Amino acid sequence: MGLYFGLAIAGVVVLLLLIVGVMKCYKKVPNQGYAFIVNRTKDVIVLFTGGFIYPVIHKYETLDISRKTLFIRRKGQKDKFDDEAEGLLCKDNIRADIDVKFYIGINRKDEDILNVVKNLTVARAGNQEFLQQYFSPKFSEALKTAAKRFNFEELYTEREKFREEVKKIVGKDLDGYMLEDVVIDYLEQTALEA
């Protein structure tokens, strides 16, 4: 009877150790604005809440999928050091100084998140400075193109149309990101001396 009791206790201890070991493999995503990118032996998956990630078999990284704000300022005349510093040229040849915020995010779809990771890597996708540099040329060009379709007065009085035109020009091709909103913070005619 002592042998059976000892085996039963050993079995319970082994079972508890297995349960604790399996529970240590469960990883929970830290916050709502993050996801795990898990490299498994045959594929890559996205976890939004958490899951079992086994050491040695799986490698995982935490991806920041929260909304990002990118800022574009077009002001004054062209600077020999900064090609993007120039104010926007309107259809009537009046220059406009403008400050715009672009709000971008990653679609909460596995394919879009994996597309972002494939194109930018996990580290870059969450890096605000990198995203600013990466998207600035596209957003700046969209502002220039849209401004050429409006007279300055139209640009000033019909901001909503201008915003929609910018959004249309930017389009959907943002490597898995989506343009959530465009906000014009400042819009004035460029000073005559500039």
Side-chain angles (χ1 to χ4, degrees), residues 74 77-87 140 144:
R74 301 296 306 251
Q77 67 185 44
K78 192 176 227 175
D79 185 324
K80 63 181 176 181
F81 300 110
D82 186 5
D83 190 40
E84 299 303 317
E86 185 176 29
S140 191
K144 286 194 302 190

Side-chain angles (χ1 to χ4, degrees), residues 19-28 51-55 58:
I19 290 172
V20 168
V22 167
M23 292 311 291
K24 284 194 174 243
C25 291
Y26 185 83
K27 304 285 186 202
K28 187 166 174 47
F52 288 99
I53 301 172
Y54 302 106
H58 298 152

Side-chain angles (χ1 to χ4, degrees), residues 35 37 61-64 116-118 120-127:
I37 307 301
E61 295 177 272
T62 305
L63 175 65
D64 180 357
V116 166
V117 169
K118 184 178 86 176
L120 303 180
T121 75
V122 170
R124 288 178 167 177
N127 183 316

Side-chain angles (χ1 to χ4, degrees), residues 126-181:
N127 183 316
Q128 181 78 30
E129 286 179 35
F130 173 79
L131 292 174
Q132 180 74 37
Q133 290 177 343
Y134 187 75
F135 286 114
S136 282
K138 184 174 185 86
F139 293 159
S140 191
E141 187 61 35
L143 288 170
K144 286 194 302 190
T145 304
K148 288 178 184 174
R149 298 177 183 172
F150 293 84
N151 289 325
F152 178 77
E153 187 176 325
E154 293 171 329
L155 193 69
Y156 196 80
T157 59
E158 298 177 22
R159 289 184 188 201
E160 187 63 33
K161 281 185 182 177
F162 177 65
R163 277 181 63 236
E164 292 307 314
E165 190 67 24
V166 170
K167 287 164 90 173
K168 189 169 71 172
I169 292 167
V170 167
K172 305 274 186 220
D173 184 25
L174 295 173
D175 294 329
Y177 282 90
M178 63 179 181
L179 180 60
E180 295 177 0
D181 202 4

Side-chain angles (χ1 to χ4, degrees), residues 49-97:
T49 55
F52 288 99
I53 301 172
Y54 302 106
V56 180
I57 299 172
H58 298 152
K59 179 182 182 281
Y60 77 97
E61 295 177 272
T62 305
L63 175 65
D64 180 357
I65 58 172
S66 63
R67 177 191 238 196
K68 303 284 185 266
T69 306
L70 306 179
F71 181 75
I72 303 290
R73 170 175 281 156
R74 301 296 306 251
K75 189 173 184 175
Q77 67 185 44
K78 192 176 227 175
D79 185 324
K80 63 181 176 181
F81 300 110
D82 186 5
D83 190 40
E84 299 303 317
E86 185 176 29
L88 300 176
L89 187 62
C90 299
K91 187 165 69 171
D92 55 6
N93 287 328
I94 295 177
R95 287 208 180 274
D97 293 344

